[in-house]
Amino acid sequence: MSSPSESPGRHTTSHPETPPVPGETFQQVPPPPAATGRAFTQVPAPPPGALAAVSQRLHPAALGVWALGGVRPLVLLIIAGSFNVYIALAFVALAAVGSVARWMRFTWRLEPDALVIDQGVVQRQRRVIPLERIQSVEVVRKLGHRMFGVLELRVESIGSGGTEGQLDALDPALARQLRRQLLRKGTEPPATADHRAPAAEPPALVRMRPGQLVLAGITGGRVGVFAALVGFASQVWGERIGDAVDWLAGYVGTADNGGVVTVALILGGGAILVAFVLSVIATTLTFWNFTLTRDDRNLYTSRGLLDQRSGTIPLHRVQSVRIEENAVRRMLGLAAVKVEVAGQPGGGSVQETATVLPLGRRRTAAELVGTILDRDDVAEVPLEPMPTGARDRRLVRAAVATVALTAGAVWWLGVPGSAALLLAVPLSALAVAAYRSLGHAAPEGLLLARSGVMVRTTHVTRERSLQAVAVTSTPFQRRRGLATLVLHIARSLGGGGDPEIIDVSTDHADAELLRLARASDETARRPSTPQGPTVRAARPEDGPAVEALVEASRPAAVRPLGPEADEALSLVVDDGGDVVGHALLVPLPGDATGGKVRVLRRVVVHPDRRRQGLGTMLVKASLSAAAQQGVHRVVASGAPAFYRSLGFDPVEDHRMTAPNDPSGPWLVRLLPGDDGSAADSLPSTVASD
Amino acid sequence: MVPDTQPLDLQPLDRRVRTLWWVVGALSVVPPTVAAAIFGALAPIGIGRDVLVAAVAVGGLVLAAVVPVIRYRRWGYMLRDRDFVIRKGVIWVTVSIIPYARLQFVDTRQGPLDRLFGLSQLVVHTASLGMSGRLPGLDADVAEDLRERLAAVETDVVTV
C-alpha cells in the first residue's frame, strides 16, 4: 500500500492523467488508436469501455502463439529423424483442438478491485488477484507475439512462487491500458492533490549501449556458468575433440614439451574464449537496448533483442535494492544494481527481471539506489566496519583450512606436500578481504549491509520493508561477542536470501533487534492516509449524525433493525469530525452458532464521498473488529463484486445456505479464527439493507 | 544474546515436547544402525561388525538423549504487546521478533505424535519467505488459545 506520508512532496507532482509510459521501446508496434488513447487520458476513472468489468477472451492470436510454442516438439521429432506424417498430423490436430478449447474457456475481466481470470478446459479454475496485492506487471513480446502483433501480460502478486496472472495474447493498446489500470490501485494521488498537467516524459536513468553490454558479458558471472557448460560439452563430445586434438598436435608438433604446452594452451584458451563469447551473446540478447526510467510512482524497465520485455514496478513495492560487484568488476570500479520485489516467479529469470542496472560505474550505481529509494544520502553514507573479532574469525578459518589442506597434501604426496603451507598467504589475504568487505550503516529509515568477497553485495533496505527481524549466532560468533542480524523482507523465490548484517557486536545486534521490531510494527500500522478519514467505533453522540447519514444515503431501502441491534457493533468513518460512513455488525437473529457468525449491515457512505475507498475501509475495519471478538464468519449481501474483492465468497462455497432474500446474493468472509464449525444455514429472518 | 542482556522473560515450551523429541530421536537411531549392520555384513572392515553397530547405536542414543535437553532449554517464546519473540537453536541460536501487524496467517498443526502427547504446533507466517515462525510442543489448548489471540490482531494492516 502506498504511504503518501513518506513523500508529501510527491502529491504535487502526481498527475491524474495517464502518465506517458517511458521505457516503451517496441518500435514495431503501431501506436494505440488515437481515440482510445485520448478517451483514456482524459477520464482516468471509471475505466474506459474496453476495460469495463466484462469477461473478455484473449486475442485470437493466442492460438497462433500457442501453435508456435507447440511446434517445437514436432521440430525435435523431425530432427530426431523419427518423423511420421500420420503421427505428425494427429499431433497437430490434437494440439489445434486443445488450443481452441483452451482459448474458448479462458476469460479475464478487470473488476474495480481485482483482476479475475477464469480458465481450465475440464477443471474450471477462477483466480482473483486483488489489485492491492499486485507487486509488478511485465509486458512480454516474444518472437511469436511479434509475428502476430500482440503482447503478453504477466501479473505478479504476492503469495506465490509463480506468475499469478498470465494473459498470453492481448492487443497492444489494450495490454498497456490494462497494465496502467492494474497498477493504479494504491498509488492514486488523494482527491485533494493538485491536478497538474502531466510532466514530460522523464529522461532515462539508465540506457545501455552495445559496448557496455559486451563489457557486462565479459565481466559477468555468466562466464563461469558457460565455462562449466563448455567443460561439460567437451566431456560429451570428447571423441570429436580428441580428433581435433590429434590434428592440432600434428600441426604444432608434440616432439618436445613446448608443443604439448602449446596444444594445451590453445585448447584451454579456446574453451575460455567460447565461454566468454557465449556470455557476451547471452547478456546482449537479454539486456539489448536496456532502459530504466522512473516517474513519481513507478520504475519502468525495457530490454531484450529477440524476446522483448518491459516491466513496471511500483516504487513503493521495492523491498530492498542491492549493489553487486564481483571481483573483476570491483577492480574496474563497476557494479550492477538489482531490486527486490515480492512475488516474482522463481528461477534464473528473477535475477534478470530484477536488474535495474546491468553494469555501470560504482558511483552511478550508488546514486541509482538513492534515486529508487528517494534518498539523496545513500551514496554518501560511510559504512562502519565490524569489530576486529570478525577479522580474527576469518583468519582462524584460513589457518584451519591451510592446516587441513597441508595435512591432505602431506598424506598424498609425502614431505613435498608441506609446500601447501604456502596457501596460508592467499587464504589469509582472502580472509582480510572478506573482513574488509563487511560493513553496515543505518541512516534514518534505512539499513545498509555489505558483505561478500567474490561478489561483494551491498543491500539497502527500508525499515518499513521489514516483515520480521532476527539475531542469529554460531558458537564461534558467540565466543567473540558477535552475531548476525537477519532482515526478513518480502522477496521472490530464487533471488538470494534475506539481507544480513554479518558479525556485528552482540550489543549492537540486540539493540537493533528491538529497535527494528518496533519500526516494523509501527510502519505496518501507519495509516495510509494520515490526515484523511479514520474508522472508529461509534459513540453515543454520533447518533444523530449516523441517522442523518443513513437517511441521506439510502432513504428508501433502510429497514428497521430487530432486537439484535442491541448487541450490534457500530463503526463510523470520521473525517475531521464529520461522520461520512457507517457500518453495523449485528449478530444473526436467533443465532444458533453461538456468536460465531455476524452480519454486516448498513455499509453506507455519504453520497458525496463515494468511490474514495471509504466503503473498503469500513468493511476491513468491521472484519478486524469481528476477528477481535472471536467471530468466525461475517456474512453480507448485495454488491457482490465489492465484497468479493474483500475476500468474501458465496455462502454456498462454505457449506452455508442463503435465506430466500431479495437483497442479492449472500457472501461470507472467513476470518482467521474460522474452523468450519460455524457452517450453518442462515435463518430466513436475516436481512440486509 | 538477547535474553542475557534484555529482560525478555521467555516462556519455555511444554515439558512433554522434550519426551516427544527423545522418542523421535530414539526412533531415528534405528535406520543408521540397520545401515551399519548391513554395511558391516557386506563390506567387512577392520573392526568387527558388532563393534560398528554398537558404536553407531550408542553414539546415536547419546545424541538422542542430550540434544533434546539442550534444545528444550534454548526454546523459548514470549508474547509482547506488539510482537512475538521466538528463541531456538542448538548450535545456531536464533532470536526472532515478528510484529503481530506483519502476520499473514496463523495455523496450528498436530501430527500423530503430537496428538499422542496432547501437543500442538503453532505456525505463523509473514510475507517474508525466510520467516515462518514455528512453535513446536505447545499444550494443544495453549496453542489454540495463542492462535486465537494472534488471529484477533488487526488482520488488514499488513503492508508489503
Side-chain angles (χ1 to χ4, degrees), chain A residues 485-558:
Chain A
L485 191 64
V486 188
L487 312 173
H488 291 293
I489 57 171
R491 57 184 164 86
S492 301
L493 285 169
D498 285 324
E500 290 182 343
I501 307 180
I502 301 168
D503 282 354
V504 285
S505 73
T506 39
D507 291 343
H508 181 77
D510 293 348
E512 285 291 270
L513 177 67
L514 294 171
R515 181 180 77 84
L516 294 174
R518 183 46 60 99
S520 167
D521 171 75
E522 276 168 5
T523 47
R525 284 162 193 277
R526 176 180 296 161
S528 52
T529 47
Q531 283 103 34
T534 50
V535 179
R536 59 170 172 82
R539 294 188 282 256
E541 61 266 30
D542 292 328
V546 168
E547 286 304 315
L549 175 66
V550 172
E551 283 299 315
S553 303
R554 326 175 85 171
V558 176

Side-chain angles (χ1 to χ4, degrees), chain B residues 21-86:
Chain B
W21 287 338
W22 275 326
V23 171
V24 172
L27 289 178
S28 63
V29 174
V30 175
T33 311
V34 171
I38 294 171
F39 179 76
L42 294 183
I45 46 172
I47 48 173
R49 197 183 82 182
D50 297 342
V51 178
L52 181 73
V53 171
V56 170
V58 170
L61 283 175
V62 168
L63 275 182
V66 172
V67 170
V69 176
I70 305 174
R71 209 169 149 201
Y72 180 75
R73 272 195 210 142
R74 281 280 160 68
W75 263 104
Y77 70 96
M78 180 185 175
L79 298 184
R80 307 201 306 165
D81 22 314
R82 296 191 143 198
D83 47 37
F84 182 57
V85 186
I86 299 180

Side-chain angles (χ1 to χ4, degrees), chain A residues 138-175:
Chain A
E138 191 178 29
V139 171
V140 181
R141 191 159 162 261
K142 296 188 182 175
L143 285 177
H145 299 109
R146 298 169 83 163
M147 211 174 285
F148 293 98
V150 290
L151 297 178
E152 175 185 310
L153 197 76
R154 293 185 186 181
V155 181
E156 317 292 355
S157 91
I158 193 148
S160 79
T163 297
E164 288 257 291
Q166 181 165 338
L167 303 175
D168 283 335
L170 293 176
D171 176 70
L174 184 63

